[in-house]
Structures are given as C-alpha cells and as structure tokens.
Amino acid sequence: MVNAVVGANWGDEGKGKVTDLLADQSDVVIRFQGGSNAGHTIINNYGRFALHQLPSGVFHSHITNIIGNGVALNVDNLANEYNELVERGVPAPKLLVSERTQIVMPYHILFDCYEEERLGKNSFGSTKSGIAPFYSDKYAKIGFQVSELLGDLDELRAKVARVLEVKNATLRTLYNKPELTVDEIMETLLKWREIVKPYAADTFEFIHEALKQNKKILLEGQLGSLRDPDLGIYPMVTSSSTLAGYGTVGAGVPAGSIEKIYTVTKAYSSAVGAGAFVSEFFGDEAEELRKRGGDKGEYGATTGRPRRMGWFDCVATRYGCMAQGTTDVVLTCLDVLSYLDEIPVCVGYEIDGEVTTKFPVTAKLNKAKPVLEKLPGWKCDIKGIKTYNELPENARKYVEFIESKIDHPITMVSNGPSRDSIIYR
Ligand code: GDP
C-alpha cells in the first residue's frame, strides 16, 4: 500500500510533521523529488530537526528511508545531516539511495549563484542549492547518476571532461568567472563515491518486493502544488514536479498504487521566494503572524529568510488539492490563529473587475486582488485539545468553512508543532 504526503500551496505547510506522524505506521518512506533546497521541521523526543535531504522517516528505526530516483542528491548535505542525527542521539537510520538518483554537481551550485547574480532584480529568489541547473542538466541528458559515480572511473572522468567543455564555455563567456578543471571535479566525486557507496541500492526492486509483501510505503513531497513546473505559478516554480502523481515516477512505484494522498495546508498562508501570492498582507499585522507562526516563527528552514505572510487562500488551496488528487486534507497551525478577533479568508480573486474561484494562469494571477471574508476568532488557546468537538465553536466553524470552500475533506487538524498535537475528524 502506498500513501503520499504532499503540500497544497507554496511549501512550508507542515508536511514534515505530518510525515513524521504517518511514518509511524509505515515500513518505507521515500523522497521522490526536489533536493536540499527546502526544509522540513520535525519536533520529536530527540529534539528539533530541520531535514533537507533525508526522508522524514529517519527517526524511526523500523523504517527504510529511500532517496528516490527523482531527487536531486547533494552528497555533502546527506552526509552532514546523517551524521548530525547520529551525534544527537538518533539511532543510525536505515537509508537507501537509488542507483538512478542523480547528483547535484559542484558546478550546479555555482551556476545557480552566478545566474541569480546575473539576473539581478529579475532573479527567482533561488535558495542557490543548484536545483534548477541540476534538473536542466538531467533533462539535457548530461547529469550524473549514482550508478555512474560508483562505476568505471575512466568513463566517469571522460564524461566530466565532456560536460566541462560546455560549462567552462559558459563560465568564460557569460559569467566571466574562473573555469573548472577535470581534476578538481574528480577529486570531489571520488570523495562522494565513498560516502554514497554504503547506501546505493537497486531501490526499484526493493520497493516492488516490499509492495508484494504488503508493506506500507509513504511518499514524501517537498514544496507544494503551486511550485509545480506544470500546474504551478510558472516560472516562479521549482524545477521538479511537486505532485503526488509524479511520486510514482520519482520513487518508481506503479502508477495506480497510491491509495491515500494527504495534502497538507496551513490555516493561514506563507511563501518563500518570489511569485504571485494573492492573499499576502504586510506591515505590523504580517509581522505579528510571522512571529507567532509555526513553532519558532515563519522563517525559512533552509535560508532563515522571513516568509511572506497571507490569509488562508481558498482559491489556491482548492486548486492545489485538485492538482494533488487529494483524498485527505491536513490543516495545520490552527493554534497559531487563536490571538485574532477576526480572521480574514480569501474566498475569491477579482481579476479585471470579475470575481472567480478558479485558480488562473500566471498572467491573470498577477492581476488578481483577494476577495476577503472575515470569520470570527475563538480567542483562546487550543493547544493540547485532543478531540474535534472540544475545539471552540468558532474554531470548528473556521475549519468547516474552509472545507466547504476547498471542496476536499479535512480529516486531520494540527493544533501544535509536536507529533501528538493532532486531532482526527
Ligand atoms: P514543511 O516544509 O511543509 O515540512 O513545513 P516547515 O516545517 O518548513 O514549516 C512548518 C512549521 O510549522 C514548522 O516550524 C513546524 O514545526 C510548524 N508546525 C507544524 N504543524 C504545526 C501546528 O499545528 N502548529 C504550530 N504552531 N506549528 C506547527
């Protein structure tokens, strides 16, 4: 049985917590896309962790964690995160890396930085983790799979030399930066070869064998629907598909095998990086919510950047849930809103004088103004509440209002950052 945890919005919805929670009942947790450009915050008995590269099942010693073939693997980050966990008392996780996973090369990170610098005020707000250059190379068919890193060294060297011809031409002529040598790249690759070797495996066969034995597999998405290169707010998107449907490709599970798709959304909105964000608000009001948000305020888990803040966006979230093929919505951070007298919710977009509830293409989205409806707040602490009926009436009304607007069932409500702060409906 395969389930997936994915995001409905711009990322940072609280997927890490939900994955950590659902991982309890899973045998295998698989990351299927993205790289170390976003972080999941997980708080459990071992402490507070920001995972970027490792799957969120690493805190459970019964789980096999897999870096799927769709992931952008940053080997140094993988090693650092793994070592940090062990140093902080987490039992050494079971980890497998698909032999088909490709590696973020040293020049991918350089090119990400140089390109953002070149673009200046038109930059994408990249985390400069090399993700866009990595996926560009993957689809231009000049990427490096783990299998190549572990294979014949002469072949590896020859391919590095071929790829560097193009990279150096760009460094020289477009960016006016120092060129790279085959020797320096090979030195790094030889170091990475030793790091990756113990984890590399034919995960495709492993996963299919696990399915035959009725094991429970959890696919873990990074970012959210609106950052998908096809269905998101192109071009302010990420470079790999963030959708559960792609999980079947990026993890290598059969297309029809996903049963439950848990789509996570926050009770308000936040976004990191550039791009349309219709329900965004600013000033002191935004700063107040930013400070109170998440477990330590709404600041990027990878970059520490202050996140942009917005009210809950029913238009974007309905669309985001549809794009994921959602079976269950998990609404997180409801506790964060407890201080507000009234809570605005974005229920429509006004574009050129017309109101719509359908999420538009980017050109129209950039013109959209939010249509807000205000719901009464509940003005009391709801952390620690364990059952839905114990929530104050206005909190329940808020959940039910959102549910009716996004057209998908909210089956779990999260009312605190820790694993046990969860209310099942
Ligand atoms: P992810 O990338 O989707 O995993 O999201 P992040 O982990 O970057 O951001 C979510 C933030 O919200 C983290 O700081 C979590 O610890 C925190 N969080 C998750 N669920 C809740 C919740 O129900 N209440 C509160 N207050 N914080 C939560």
Side-chain angles (χ1 to χ4, degrees), residues 57 102 120 149 172 174 181 229 292 422:
Q102 296 200 7
L149 184 69
R172 205 166 45 234
L174 183 64
T181 66
R292 290 173 179 268
I422 195 86

Side-chain angles (χ1 to χ4, degrees), residues 278-321:
V278 177
S279 70
E280 184 171 19
F281 59 99
F282 305 90
D284 292 346
E285 215 184 356
E287 188 52 28
E288 174 88 49
L289 182 58
R290 183 178 298 116
K291 269 200 230 128
R292 290 173 179 268
D295 77 306
K296 278 197 167 181
E298 292 286 352
Y299 302 93
T302 306
T303 57
R305 286 188 285 189
R307 292 176 179 155
R308 298 163 66 194
M309 304 306 299
W311 301 118
F312 188 87
D313 185 335
C314 299
V315 180
T317 310
R318 171 182 167 273
Y319 174 82
C321 287

